[in-house]
Amino acid sequence: MKQGSVSFVGAGPGAADLITLRGARRIAEADVVVWAASLVMEECVVEHARADAELVDSSQIAHEDVLALYRRAAAEGLAVARVHSGDPSLWGAVQEQYDAAVEIGLAVEIVPGVSAFGAAAAAAGRELTIPEVAQSVVLCRLEGGKTPMPEREKLREFARHGTTMAIFLSAARTSQMVDELRAGGYPDDTPVVVAYRTTWPDEQTIRCRLDEVEGVCKERKLWRQTLFLVGAALGAKGTRSHLYHAGHFHTFRKPDAEARRALRAARSATP
């Protein structure tokens, strides 16, 4: 009998055609597909699963029920595709399942997916990292709520970096979130993208200022499944990247001599 297996598949932010080719293959190969109907678009599963595959809606069962299914997969040599929204590595409760599956004796893999923060930036037509404006992205959530946070992980402390932030799981407490961002140093005119169910049919992408966020969420009743992108990069125009400058060189390209001198002069003049 073949070894049972489980593949943790990132389904992407919503749209069925944003799942990876590998993720779609793992669903097509699976004897059992476990997915959260509340978070993953039905087409992501139905379009790829075999007609005879067992489909299990994880929103209706507890962790212990999933482990019982994994034990059955090990005993019967079944292939399981455990489909998560976005990318499994972010707030996916995957690690506890992964460790248990290994202990049970299943072959295990994680198939990455497109995270909602990248999809939200794309929907807004923005780049999260702009030269000389922001070169880092902080992925975080507001402290408090149902899941305990490490003591040092406070939103206002992350905000002190002043770079781009992608804030998950915080829409129900927008007033507190805005207060924490202000306390960390973001001014009221900081650009914000409010992204609700990005790439789903009912998606909403709203560009506003930090001091408008609470009003936007109240007016549109955005309490769940809403992501916030925050930072100056979201309002900046693209600056010239040195990577593709004619005066820049790397392993595959030699610089233009005159452009190289101009680039050096510009760098020297920058304070």
Side-chain angles (χ1 to χ4, degrees):
M1 185 178 68
K2 68 175 183 178
Q3 182 183 16
S5 65
V6 58
S7 297
F8 297 101
V9 176
D17 58 356
L18 282 176
I19 193 170
T20 66
L21 292 173
R22 183 180 297 182
R25 282 199 299 270
R26 293 297 180 266
I27 293 173
E29 295 164 353
D31 301 298
V32 183
V33 181
V34 185
W35 63 297
S38 59
L39 298 174
V40 176
M41 197 174 289
E42 184 177 6
E43 288 84 348
C44 272
V45 173
V46 174
E47 287 187 6
H48 303 295
R50 301 195 322 249
D52 63 339
E54 178 184 351
L55 305 183
V56 179
D57 181 1
S58 65
S59 65
Q60 303 297 316
I61 59 178
H63 176 66
E64 289 71 21
D65 301 308
V66 175
L67 295 187
L69 191 153
Y70 292 165
R71 284 190 286 270
R72 176 159 67 88
E76 300 177 15
L78 302 176
V80 178
R82 177 66 166 95
V83 184
H84 286 261
S85 60
D87 182 272
S89 66
L90 292 173
W91 296 286
V94 166
Q95 194 63 57
E96 59 191 272
Q97 296 181 73
Y98 187 103
D99 295 341
V102 170
E103 186 175 343
I104 288 168
L106 293 168
V108 187
E109 72 167 336
I110 297 177
V111 180
V114 177
S115 178
F117 77 89
R126 306 308 302 169
E127 185 176 351
L128 300 177
T129 56
I130 300 292
E132 301 171 18
V133 179
Q135 287 291 284
S136 304
V137 180
V138 177
L139 307 180
C140 60
R141 49 161 294 194
L142 181 64
E143 60 270 15
K146 296 179 181 179
T147 303
M149 294 279 284
E151 180 61 31
R152 292 183 297 175
E153 294 189 12
K154 303 293 186 184
L155 194 63
R156 68 174 62 193
E157 297 303 323
F158 289 133
R160 296 191 199 285
H161 294 284
T163 189
T164 307
M165 297 180 69
I167 306 173
F168 292 73
L169 305 169
S170 304
R173 296 175 291 147
T174 51
S175 176
Q176 182 184 350
M177 180 189 74
V178 170
D179 287 346
E180 289 297 303
L181 291 172
R182 284 175 173 146
Y186 284 105
D188 280 346
D189 62 354
T190 301
V192 177
V193 171
V194 182
Y196 170 76
R197 285 169 60 89
T198 303
T199 79
W200 288 72
D202 58 345
E203 73 174 345
Q204 295 185 51
T205 305
I206 306 105
R207 295 182 62 181
C208 62
R209 296 162 36 120
L210 181 62
D211 58 1
E212 297 170 333
V213 168
E214 188 176 1
V216 165
C217 290
K218 285 184 177 179
E219 178 185 353
R220 297 175 182 249
K221 297 181 173 58
L222 304 181
W223 316 127
R224 300 174 64 249
Q225 295 177 289
T226 303
L227 167 71
F228 303 93
L229 304 177
V230 182
L234 300 169
K237 294 187 179 297
T239 57
R240 179 63 188 269
S241 170
H242 288 175
L243 179 61
Y244 296 104
H245 194 288
H248 181 74
F249 68 93
H250 52 67
T251 305
F252 303 98
R253 190 182 74 222
K254 294 181 179 180
D256 175 84
E258 184 175 343
R260 181 68 177 166
R261 286 193 291 270
L263 182 60
R264 283 178 170 173
R267 286 174 172 170
S268 299
T270 301

